[in-house]
Amino acid sequence: MILGGVAFSQEGPVYVEQFQNLQKSVDQIFDEISNGVPGKGDQLLLGERLFALKKVTHRLQEGAGEADNAARQRGAGVNKRLRLVVQGCMAIDSVLQALGNYLDTDDRFFLILAIEGKQTTSSIRKVLVK
């Protein structure tokens, strides 16, 4: 069955791959930010990148959720992988928000929140690739 141009049987793996790629991008920007608070010009660029990643995260979360709902409407059971992608996107969104707050405030508590969120996304990724 085709949904949104993607064969239904491939939806889970496509979303999982997109989640993994997104997580790599988040890890990269996390490393850049956590290695020292950048100057004002760099902060603006990082803020723009964070915003772009948030948009990608929200689209992936919505797409995976819609794919799960569509599958259930067709009578399939709950797709745990799609649900994990949705949950992982929620964790990534939290990481991105914390990184943005850290950039704005220079308060390391926000960096700690980002680290905790990254641990959640790493746990989800490990379950997804099994």
Side-chain angles (χ1 to χ4, degrees):
M1 177 170 264
I2 303 293
L3 177 68
V6 178
F8 174 71
S9 63
Q10 295 179 356
E11 283 180 357
V14 168
Y15 287 110
V16 169
E17 182 180 342
Q18 290 175 352
F19 176 78
Q20 290 171 324
N21 291 335
L22 176 60
Q23 186 184 21
K24 287 177 189 175
S25 296
V26 171
D27 287 348
Q28 183 179 33
I29 199 166
F30 174 88
D31 290 342
E32 290 175 42
I33 291 171
S34 66
N35 286 332
V37 177
K40 288 290 183 196
D42 291 335
Q43 279 183 318
L44 291 174
L45 291 174
L46 287 169
E48 290 173 6
R49 287 175 53 204
L50 286 171
F51 183 71
L53 285 170
K54 285 181 191 180
K55 288 173 39 177
V56 170
T57 301
H58 295 163
R59 280 194 297 262
L60 179 57
Q61 179 181 345
E62 185 177 310
E66 286 176 355
D68 181 47
N69 286 336
R72 287 187 297 132
Q73 288 176 353
R74 290 190 303 272
V78 172
N79 186 319
K80 292 180 196 176
R81 295 183 86 197
L82 290 173
R83 295 273 176 106
L84 283 168
V85 169
V86 170
Q87 191 74 39
C89 287
M90 293 169 68
I92 285 175
D93 186 55
S94 177
V95 169
L96 295 171
Q97 186 66 43
L99 288 173
N101 288 336
Y102 175 64
L103 278 176
D104 291 342
T105 65
D106 197 25
D107 185 335
R108 294 193 59 81
F109 182 72
F110 290 112
L111 190 58
I112 292 168
L113 291 175
I115 291 167
E116 290 173 355
K118 274 179 46 73
Q119 291 169 344
T120 300
T121 61
S122 292
S123 295
I124 291 170
R125 181 186 48 78
K126 288 175 186 173
V127 171
L128 283 170
V129 297
K130 284 185 179 182

